[in-house]
Amino acid sequence: MSKGVKFMLLSAFIFTLMKVCIKLIPHIPPIEIILFRSIISLVLSGGILMSKNVSVWGNNKKILILRGVAGAIALSSFFMLLQQIPLAAASTLHYLAPVFSTILGIFILKEQVRWYQFLFFGISFLGIVVIQGFDPRVSFGQMLLGVGSAFFTGLAYNFVRKLKSSEHPLVIIFYFPLVTLPLAIIYSFFDWVTPQGTDWWVLLAIGLCTQVAQYFMTKSYQSEEIAKVSIVNYTGIIYAIGFGFFIFGEQYNVLTYVGMVLVLSGVILNLGLKKSNFLNRKT
């Protein structure tokens, strides 16, 4: 097993631990969780940038701010969803992000999308309909919340790609808490729940897990072809099903599993063929 694959497996596992931690504190508002996460990320990212003598302010401030806003909306929606529906179902909805990233890339990055990619997108969205239709724990509103989270995540991915040649990776990470923190402080002022006991440790774990998972994901993309390791990232759904069952007692009917498979199949087929030679042939 290559280093890139190992790093991505570890990243997916730690990201799932972060999701578990969020579900462990359903009484803490999602925006408040983001507040604590942002503080930890701001301190760690800013500290590393200063130690490397890299300016934290970046060059393309407009796109950096837009990336921060899109990421803030995506994360708050996803955290809210995690607290409302089963872990694996929430994770599956969030895995639609690459679909939206590809579609938005047509308009933001002027990238080409082949006709058969829309077929794969349709397979993924069919899976969402199956999950919502056959899992009574997922309402129509919650499905829209998950799709919305994936949409804004895909938007944030496009902004990151626009910044790839002008910004240090840690500057891009730094701007997320920089933009999010003021908004989270204002919101939390009106909807504050004081953490109790072990809540503080769980909040700390959420921030640390996020930073460590992002580090290993970056190492993975630096060590291996993106097409290979990006698919490995979807092992996270297996972790989510396992943690959901053993920690929260979550179970699914057969059709819900079918829906999950459809969502992931559409995404993986799109990622796989996008990097293959077949994509380069004329249609």
Side-chain angles (χ1 to χ4, degrees), residues 24-70:
L24 289 174
I25 48 173
H27 52 285
I28 303 293
I31 301 298
E32 190 174 328
I33 297 174
I34 292 173
L35 171 64
F36 284 101
R37 177 194 181 278
S38 297
I39 292 173
I40 295 172
S41 180
L42 193 73
V43 171
L44 292 177
S45 301
I48 295 173
L49 283 169
M50 286 187 286
S51 70
K52 293 179 176 292
N53 293 319
V54 177
S55 172
V56 300
W57 305 115
N59 301 305
N60 195 336
K61 295 180 178 60
K62 178 182 177 180
I63 301 299
L64 283 166
I65 291 172
L66 287 173
R67 188 272 175 190
V69 172

Side-chain angles (χ1 to χ4, degrees), residues 139-179:
S139 69
F140 182 74
Q142 290 165 335
M143 181 195 73
L144 291 180
L145 184 64
V147 172
S149 172
F151 173 86
F152 281 102
T153 300
L155 184 60
Y157 286 167
N158 274 270
F159 289 139
V160 169
R161 289 165 69 184
K162 283 184 73 72
L163 295 166
K164 66 179 181 179
S165 60
S166 64
E167 307 295 342
H168 190 285
L170 279 175
V171 172
I172 299 174
I173 294 174
F174 177 80
Y175 257 81
F176 173 77
L178 186 68
V179 172

Side-chain angles (χ1 to χ4, degrees), residues 96 98-107 111-127 262-263 265-267 269-271 273-274 278-279 283:
L96 280 173
V99 171
F100 287 113
S101 179
T102 302
I103 295 173
L104 290 169
I106 300 172
F107 307 99
E111 293 183 344
Q112 291 187 345
V113 176
R114 304 289 178 152
W115 66 267
Y116 46 80
Q117 288 181 265
F118 288 99
L119 175 62
F120 301 149
F121 299 157
I123 293 173
S124 291
F125 283 107
L126 175 61
L262 286 172
V263 172
S265 295
V267 174
L269 283 169
N270 177 62
L271 287 174
L273 288 184
K274 188 176 181 180
F278 181 63
L279 259 179
T283 56

